[in-house]
Amino acid sequence: MLDYIIVGSGLAGIAFSEVALQNGKSILVINNDFQNSTKIAGGLYNPVILKRFSEVWQAAEQLDLLYEFYGSLESKLNVKLDYNLPLLRKFHSVEEQNNWFTASDKPNLSRFLSTKLITTKYNFIASPYNFGEVLDSGYVDTALLQEAYQDYLISMNLFRSETFDYSLLNVHENFVVYKDLEAKNIVFAEGFGMLSNPFFSLLPLDGTKGELLLIKAPNLNLDVIVKSSIFIIPVGGDLYKVGATYNWEDKTNIPTEAAKNELVSELKELMDCEFEIIEHYAGVRPTVKDRRPLVGTHPLYNNVHVLNGLGTRGVMLAPAMAKSLFNHIENNIPLDKNIDIRRIKNFVSSFYQS
């Protein structure tokens, strides 16, 4: 009997799989590649909400675990995943400068916001009000992570490429059965695909479509992440990721001309440099209205669990949320009330009413 069946191999599924394996548990991962938000993500990690100069929820704890987690995966998979790069927030006014320095005096932000104004002039990027530097920032190559981790699972016979059939899952008191598999627990980490899951479809997963571009700009020579209305992330070989858009209505993975035009317009406003569009990506982020993850155990079945709703900050959230869920299942450690699905009163009560 397995310890865990894990459905989904995006950031959430990878994180939980690795936490389980590191703790000596047996797993099998099932994934169908329908959800591609991990594959096409910018992979940016940034501990500060730059619109308001406020701290990301539990940023310090998440970052400390992030470095350890992706560092261990780099060693295990023999690939480079974590690129720790300065993130420069372009200022558009003296008022923005003042707000930055006011925020940098706050105890919870002093670790993350440099008090030194960055006056460096970057080619083709006008910056009359200069930049503020966010510390502890960078990006994770999520596409390479997903590919390399899936290859690892396949090599260990721990992976099945198929669409999960919920009608074939039989839940017993102390174990679950799925086709020829028996496991003590099943964890659903399906991203936006959770809306088709009868166990958790009533959770308030919203879903926000994001689109980004991969461009080639040989003359830009940028070695930092620049954030204005969009971000530019250097990924090597004169290539840059540019994004991202937010669409709350369209729930498809199909790139749109409107989003491309929006990104190109904002990019031309940010930099005056020739560039070529190499790729145009789109995916639906698993977002939640209260901006907190959806983690926990089904109200009726103590061996059916969910790890979802990581939204736009999946790179930072995934290791911490996976660790929390694992400790909850294995050691009965209570989940933080901000992430526990029991906070969704309508979801919990619906099962008892029925």
Side-chain angles (χ1 to χ4, degrees), residues 229-246:
S229 59
I230 55 172
F231 61 71
I232 304 177
I233 304 175
V235 295
D238 296 325
L239 297 174
Y240 301 86
K241 284 187 175 180
V242 176
T245 61
Y246 293 83

Side-chain angles (χ1 to χ4, degrees), residues 33-145:
D33 269 343
F34 286 173
Q35 301 304 319
N36 66 342
S37 60
T38 293
K39 187 179 297 183
I40 66 96
L44 185 67
Y45 59 88
N46 160 30
V48 182
I49 300 170
L50 290 172
K51 281 185 179 179
R52 302 188 294 275
F53 300 143
S54 57
E55 181 190 12
V56 168
W57 175 70
Q58 293 189 346
E61 297 91 330
Q62 291 172 24
L63 278 172
D64 291 342
L65 191 54
L66 177 151
Y67 293 129
E68 175 188 341
F69 181 79
Y70 294 110
S72 69
L73 280 177
E74 286 181 331
S75 300
K76 177 174 184 168
L77 304 174
N78 196 28
V79 292
K80 176 66 174 171
L81 299 171
D82 180 17
Y83 294 84
N84 189 233
L85 293 177
L87 188 157
L88 303 187
R89 166 63 151 81
K90 179 181 172 179
F91 294 134
H92 297 88
S93 65
V94 172
E95 182 183 9
E96 279 194 349
Q97 290 180 347
N98 293 337
N99 290 341
W100 175 280
F101 289 116
T102 299
S104 67
D105 281 337
K106 297 177 181 178
N108 62 327
L109 288 172
S110 59
R111 167 182 167 179
F112 305 129
L113 298 181
S114 171
T115 55
K116 180 182 177 183
L117 198 65
I118 304 300
T119 59
T120 305
K121 299 303 177 185
Y122 293 94
N123 293 337
F124 307 106
I125 297 179
S127 53
Y129 297 100
N130 301 307
F131 302 92
E133 180 179 358
V134 180
L135 310 174
D136 279 312
S137 61
Y139 76 93
V140 170
D141 189 337
T142 54
L144 179 58
L145 167 62

Side-chain angles (χ1 to χ4, degrees), residues 331-349:
N331 305 312
N332 293 316
I333 296 175
L335 292 165
D336 185 308
K337 64 182 181 182
N338 290 292
I339 67 172
D340 194 333
I341 57 172
R342 289 185 299 177
R343 75 185 189 274
I344 314 298
K345 303 303 183 185
N346 292 342
F347 169 73
V348 175
S349 63

Side-chain angles (χ1 to χ4, degrees), residues 314-330:
V315 164
M316 283 182 64
L317 283 167
M321 298 303 100
K323 184 178 179 180
S324 292
L325 180 58
F326 183 84
N327 285 332
H328 175 64
I329 297 169
E330 295 291 337

Side-chain angles (χ1 to χ4, degrees), residues 199-309:
F199 294 94
F200 296 108
S201 60
L202 295 179
L203 286 172
L205 190 70
D206 196 16
T208 308
K209 182 173 182 175
E211 301 189 43
L212 57 82
L213 304 176
L214 180 69
I215 67 166
K216 187 166 188 175
N219 298 322
L220 189 54
N221 296 321
L222 194 62
D223 58 356
V224 297
I225 301 168
V226 172
K227 177 71 172 74
S228 183
S229 59
I230 55 172
F231 61 71
I232 304 177
I233 304 175
V235 295
D238 296 325
L239 297 174
Y240 301 86
K241 284 187 175 180
V242 176
T245 61
Y246 293 83
N247 188 321
W248 289 267
E249 304 301 325
D250 183 358
K251 309 297 184 182
T252 71
N253 293 328
I254 302 170
T256 64
E257 196 70 16
K260 183 179 79 171
N261 292 339
E262 177 185 335
L263 290 171
V264 167
S265 174
E266 293 183 343
L267 184 58
K268 287 181 175 179
E269 190 175 314
L270 178 57
M271 72 175 199
D272 181 21
C273 177
E274 293 295 320
F275 63 90
E276 174 189 0
I277 297 175
I278 305 298
E279 295 282 356
H280 178 192
Y281 306 105
V284 181
R285 313 173 184 92
T287 53
V288 186
K289 284 186 170 64
D290 67 3
R291 300 185 180 183
R292 294 290 180 266
L294 298 170
V295 183
T297 300
H298 194 279
L300 300 183
Y301 309 113
N302 63 6
N303 44 22
V304 178
H305 316 279
V306 65
L307 177 58
N308 210 312

